[in-house]
Amino acid sequence: EAQVTQNPRYLITVTGKKLTVTCSQNMNHEYMSWYRQDPGLGLRQIYYSMNVEVTDKGDVPEGYKVSRKEKRNFPLILESPSPNQTSLYFCASSLSEGLAGSEQFFGPGTRLTVL
Amino acid sequence: DAKTTQPPSMDCAEGRAANLPCNHSTISGNEYVYWYRQIHSQGPQYIIHGLKNNETNEMASLIITEDRKSSTLILPHATLRDTAVYYCIVRASGSARQLTFGSGTQLTVLP
C-alpha cells in the first residue's frame, strides 16, 4: 500500500531533550516536506527536500533540522525542543514538484508535546 | 501563490450533493486549483485538482469558471464520513514551496 509513515505518532518530552521524528514513504517520491499545524495558524511548512541531499527552509525552520540521505526517508530533528514547538506535525511527499499538478500525500501526523 | 477565499462553514444533508465554493480572483495563468480535505487532526488528503477544465474523479468533481476566478468542489452524494475541513489551494506548477492551507471550509454532513 502506498503510504507515508511517521513515528512516533505521539510524544511527550521535556525542554532540551533532543528528539527525532521519522518519516518514510514507499512511493519513490522525490519531494518530501514537513509541516506543523497549530490552532488558528493552519499548516505551515518547516523544511522541504527536492531530492536526496537537497533540502531547503520553509516558512518556519527555526529550531528544526532535517536530512535526506535516502530517497525514502526524511527525518525531522529537534536538537533542543522548547514548549513553543508543541504542535501537530505532518510529513508529506509527492512524485516531483516539477510535474504539473503533483499531488501531495500526507502522513498520519505526530502530536508532540514539549513540557 | 494566489490567495483563496472560502466560507468558514457549511452543512449538507447526507445523500445530497455538497457544493463547496472557492474564490481565487488573483489566480494567474500557470496556477492550478487544488482541493484537499482534513478529517479531524488526520493528515490532509488530496481530492482533486484542475487548471481550467472541469475535472471529475471517484471522489468529487471540480468546476472552474471560464475566467478561472472561482471554482466549486462538488461531492455528489455526501456521507457522514465526508465531514471534514476542505481546503482550496491555488499553486503554480513546478513550485517547490508549500501548499498554502488557508482556513478552509468546515463541512458538516448531517444525518
Side-chain angles (χ1 to χ4, degrees):
Chain A
E1 180 190 352
Q3 59 183 350
V4 178
T5 56
Q6 295 179 225
N7 281 293
R9 295 289 313 281
Y10 302 90
L11 179 61
I12 300 174
T13 189
V14 295
T15 298
K17 186 176 181 182
K18 180 179 178 180
L19 66 92
T20 298
V21 184
T22 65
C23 173
S24 182
Q25 49 92 6
N26 63 359
M27 296 168 279
N28 202 36
H29 284 171
E30 291 182 355
Y31 181 90
M32 298 184 74
S33 64
W34 276 101
Y35 294 82
R36 61 177 288 175
Q37 185 171 32
D38 304 288
L41 297 176
L43 280 110
R44 296 177 291 167
Q45 192 180 51
I46 303 170
Y47 269 95
Y48 63 94
S49 169
M50 301 282 283
N51 213 325
V52 176
E53 301 291 1
V54 180
T55 63
D56 208 346
K57 297 177 181 179
D59 288 336
V60 288
E62 295 76 22
Y64 304 94
K65 286 175 58 177
V66 292
S67 68
R68 188 90 181 274
K69 294 187 172 64
E70 313 163 273
K71 201 170 190 178
R72 65 183 297 131
N73 296 322
F74 190 46
L76 179 70
I77 303 155
L78 285 72
E79 295 269 5
S80 183
S82 62
N84 65 10
Q85 293 178 298
T86 292
S87 187
L88 179 58
Y89 291 86
F90 292 104
C91 180
S93 74
S94 62
L95 185 59
S96 169
E97 288 313 282
L99 290 178
S102 186
E103 160 192 357
Q104 284 202 20
F105 293 82
F106 284 79
T110 295
R111 188 168 293 280
L112 173 65
T113 302
V114 183
L115 302 175
Chain B
D1 294 338
K3 182 179 169 59
T4 61
T5 304
Q6 300 176 252
S9 64
M10 293 181 65
D11 292 340
C12 175
E14 188 177 19
R16 304 297 295 269
N19 296 281
L20 293 96
C22 179
N23 285 319
H24 31 79
S25 58
T26 59
I27 193 170
S28 58
N30 67 339
E31 289 181 316
Y32 285 73
V33 180
Y34 291 79
W35 283 83
Y36 283 74
R37 73 180 182 184
Q38 186 175 24
I39 298 170
H40 185 60
S41 294
Q42 295 180 22
Q45 177 189 22
Y46 166 84
I47 301 172
I48 199 167
H49 74 274
L51 183 62
K52 51 186 173 183
N53 298 321
N54 298 338
E55 302 286 347
T56 295
N57 63 20
E58 64 278 3
M59 287 183 69
S61 294
L62 173 60
I63 308 298
I64 302 174
T65 58
E66 194 168 340
D67 63 6
R68 304 207 324 122
K69 293 183 186 300
S70 66
S71 60
T72 301
L73 178 75
I74 301 172
L75 308 178
H77 305 287
T79 71
L80 299 178
R81 286 177 293 182
D82 292 321
T83 292
V85 178
Y86 287 77
Y87 297 98
C88 169
I89 300 162
V90 174
R91 184 160 171 264
S93 168
S95 169
R97 295 303 302 279
Q98 65 172 327
L99 295 170
T100 301
F101 288 79
S103 302
T105 296
Q106 171 67 59
L107 174 69
T108 302
V109 180
L110 303 170

